[in-house]
Amino acid sequence: MDFASLMSKEISKKSTPPTPSETQKKYLKRAEVEAQREATYLSSQKALQAEKEEKARNKRKFEEEEAERNQEREEKRRRLAEESRRKREEEEEKKERARRKRLGLPELPPKGDDRDGTPLANGEEDLSEGELVAKLRALEEPARLFGEGHRQQLRRYKRLTAKNLTPQATQTSGPIPTTLELVPEAEMKVSKIVPKDPEGRAFLFRQLASYFTMVLTEWAVALAQRPDSVKQSFQGKAAFNGMVQARENMRPLFRRFERGELEDGILEPVVEIVKAAQERRYVDANDGYLTLSIGKAAWPIGVTMVGIHERSAREKLHESDKGAAHIMSDEVTRKFLQSIKRCLSFAQTRWPPDNQLQLMG
């Protein structure tokens, strides 16, 4: 092949049109690559989102169908349980009626709307449902309690009206509220002899309650008149707490005064203590408190048994229980007797004695 044929062949190659693959760009810009990648990512995310929504729809549909099936099962179970309970009650009622008929007992009352089925007492007035509800609401009470029938509702209304008609004993507004009528200070002087008649004992209880109320009131006033610096100090707070504790511990004593149930073994020493305190003989009052609290029984001190023979003085330790202390009988008695001692300690500072030898140590 000569040179001319080779040249014509190459010229013919150059003159042929390019193929579509050869027309594509050999190089792409970065923005074009990012755009292609973003389009691919968005399409994939869109497909995933559609798949998730489809799964959620299927799950929600399954849950709704399952809830409907459960509700149908519960309704069927409740209906069967109600039917079985009704049949069981009918069988029990039938057996009870047969038993009553066999034993000659009265027939069962017919079932009505009430759950209790208890008949009203003789002479008890019945009220209609609307009237009863209106009366209960007028008393600011619930119209119907849970599981309450008409008879129970009526009895509750009768009980509330009877409670409102019952006169309530008025209470004093002192440190310890009491239903006893307090006497003035001029009539608080107690007698040394404890009366035996009910009227005399009732007046004595009023005198004792009035005296302790006066002491507790003066004690609270004295603590309230202290400077703020003293009130906030440790000693000031301890003094106030002691007064509050004494007041609370004396509440059972006031309740016994109201009921008139204070036994003579405690009443007589308390009267002796109060009389001595009213006469400002605080040492004698303290002696009465010690006699009441620890008694007069001999206390063994030191060695009481030496050798094999019992000494003659040893029998005096347990010769009788006359000196047994009432303060050890129970916790309530011990507390209000200790509160009486605290009232004595304050009384000698509020009403000091003329004779300094009557001051307690």
Side-chain angles (χ1 to χ4, degrees), residues 212 215-216 219 238-247 249-250 289 335-349 360:
F212 288 124
V215 174
L216 291 173
W219 195 356
F240 179 77
N241 292 334
M243 185 272 296
V244 173
Q245 184 179 6
R247 182 185 64 194
N249 291 340
M250 291 190 72
Y289 166 75
K335 286 183 178 180
F336 70 67
L337 290 180
Q338 286 180 349
S339 300
I340 293 176
K341 177 62 171 62
R342 291 183 177 181
C343 291
L344 291 178
S345 301
F346 169 74
Q348 73 172 357
T349 61
M360 295 185 299

Side-chain angles (χ1 to χ4, degrees), residues 95-155:
K95 291 180 181 178
E96 180 65 18
R97 290 183 182 277
R99 187 184 69 86
R100 285 175 172 269
K101 185 177 181 180
R102 184 176 66 255
L103 297 177
L105 297 176
E107 292 289 336
L108 288 175
K111 288 188 176 181
D113 295 335
D114 297 334
R115 298 185 183 182
D116 49 357
T118 306
L120 292 175
N122 294 330
E124 189 175 0
E125 182 183 0
D126 196 2
L127 297 175
S128 63
E129 185 70 21
E131 185 180 1
L132 185 57
V133 169
K135 289 181 178 295
L136 285 173
R137 288 177 177 171
L139 294 175
E140 297 182 356
E141 292 289 334
R144 185 183 296 275
L145 300 178
F146 178 77
E148 187 180 43
H150 179 72
R151 299 289 183 266
Q152 298 172 346
Q153 191 180 15
L154 180 61
R155 285 191 173 84

Side-chain angles (χ1 to χ4, degrees), residues 203-220:
F203 184 74
L204 176 61
F205 291 143
R206 290 172 55 194
Q207 288 178 316
L208 294 176
S210 303
Y211 175 75
F212 288 124
T213 299
M214 181 186 67
V215 174
L216 291 173
T217 303
E218 292 292 333
W219 195 356

